Amino acid sequence: TDYVYALAAINSEYLASGSSDHTIKIWSLKGDQYVCNQTLEGHVGSVTALVAVSYARFLSGGGYKDNTI
């Protein structure tokens, strides 16, 4: 992970981060530290926005440079 531009709480167990390395990472709390469980790739620019809707099991991320969601 490079610079983190966005964070979203998915639920009480998971957190998502959007980064300048063009990825979204899914984190979970293990003891007193967060551990990366999954890395989502596909953006061609920084991920600068995230939204999570826990009841719908939905996570979306976007970036202003690559015009993707």
Side-chain angles (χ1 to χ4, degrees):
T1 299
D2 208 356
Y3 294 104
V4 174
Y5 291 125
L7 291 173
I10 298 171
N11 57 32
S12 62
E13 297 177 35
Y14 294 98
L15 179 73
S17 64
S19 177
S20 62
D21 67 0
H22 311 177
T23 65
I24 296 172
K25 293 186 184 286
I26 308 299
W27 304 84
S28 65
L29 189 59
K30 302 288 184 192
D32 62 349
Q33 295 184 22
Y34 277 95
V35 175
C36 182
N37 295 81
Q38 187 174 10
T39 300
L40 307 174
E41 299 176 333
H43 286 275
V44 296
S46 298
V47 178
T48 58
L50 290 171
V51 64
V53 182
S54 60
Y55 66 86
R57 295 184 176 179
F58 176 80
L59 174 69
S60 179
Y64 69 93
K65 287 189 177 180
D66 64 1
N67 298 318
T68 60
I69 296 177

